[in-house]
Amino acid sequence: MPKLIENLKEKLLAEAKQQLADVGYEAMMISSLAKACGVGVGTVYNYFPSKESILHACISEDWEKSMAVIENVAKYSLSYEPVIHCIYDQIVIFAREHRYVFRESATSDNVYAIIMRHTKMLNDQISVVLRKFCSSDAQAQLIAEAMVTWICTGKSYEDICRSVSRMF
């Protein structure tokens, strides 16, 4: 009879995040993930069909948490300023926690492709939140894309806030 491990998917994700932080995407192996969680390689594939899907799940899970914080701030804000500050903080926190991804995206086509898909999703989600404060969908999308780009290139919050306030 196969052994049942409670919350195995969560354990696999937690271990994957740790291994990704320690050795990076390219060096992380499904076999090392399975061994660390005390399961067979096939069991990992029952939850995740590929190494790429593990990275996607790690990124998505954490970004969903960040979006929940942003959406909550936007829900109760009467102006865009607290929302812009929250978006900045959440992206910086996310980037810090997933710095291994950004390091490898410069050298790995697989990681770069995953980052590009997530960046599009990130821009779309942020633009939905900003729409409340904008006169059009295009304005919200432009501000979202600019913010993500500026944050990822290290522009300061003060500079971003000044630039974004001119866009409203």
Side-chain angles (χ1 to χ4, degrees):
M1 181 173 197
K3 62 182 174 181
L4 296 177
I5 300 174
E6 278 190 50
N7 304 317
L8 181 55
K9 186 173 185 178
E10 290 79 14
K11 288 179 183 177
L12 289 167
L13 282 175
E15 180 60 30
K17 287 177 188 179
Q18 186 61 52
Q19 288 189 22
L20 287 164
D22 291 347
V23 301
Y25 176 79
E26 293 297 330
M28 184 186 80
M29 300 293 184
I30 300 289
S31 58
S32 65
L33 181 59
K35 183 177 180 182
C37 292
V39 298
V41 171
T43 302
V44 176
Y45 283 113
N46 287 336
Y47 289 91
F48 302 101
S50 65
K51 191 162 85 166
E52 181 181 291
S53 68
I54 294 171
L55 179 58
H56 173 75
C58 290
I59 293 171
S60 295
E61 180 182 69
D62 290 343
W63 183 248
E64 286 172 17
K65 292 174 188 172
S66 293
M67 274 309 299
V69 171
I70 293 167
E71 288 167 347
N72 191 50
V73 168
K75 181 177 179 180
Y76 297 106
S77 294
L78 299 176
S79 72
Y80 68 87
E81 287 95 345
V83 179
I84 297 299
H85 196 263
C86 184
I87 291 168
Y88 177 85
D89 289 345
Q90 290 302 309
I91 292 176
V92 168
I93 290 166
F94 180 84
R96 190 178 310 123
E97 289 175 358
H98 295 280
R99 62 187 164 275
Y100 58 86
V101 174
F102 298 102
R103 265 194 323 264
E104 286 197 42
S105 69
T107 58
S108 167
D109 290 341
N110 290 340
V111 177
Y112 180 76
I114 293 167
I115 290 296
M116 293 315 295
R117 280 197 310 271
H118 280 274
T119 300
K120 169 81 172 98
M121 180 185 71
L122 171 80
N123 289 340
D124 291 346
Q125 290 174 329
I126 290 173
S127 71
V128 168
V129 170
L130 292 174
R131 182 62 179 97
K132 170 181 175 181
F133 308 102
C134 295
S135 59
S136 69
D137 290 338
Q139 181 187 27
Q141 188 69 36
L142 176 67
I143 293 169
E145 289 176 18
M147 282 192 66
V148 170
T149 301
W150 292 335
I151 293 167
C152 290
T153 57
K155 197 168 183 181
S156 72
Y157 170 73
E158 291 76 18
D159 288 343
I160 291 171
C161 195
R162 232 183 341 269
S163 298
V164 167
S165 65
R166 286 183 234 147
M167 298 169 88
F168 278 99

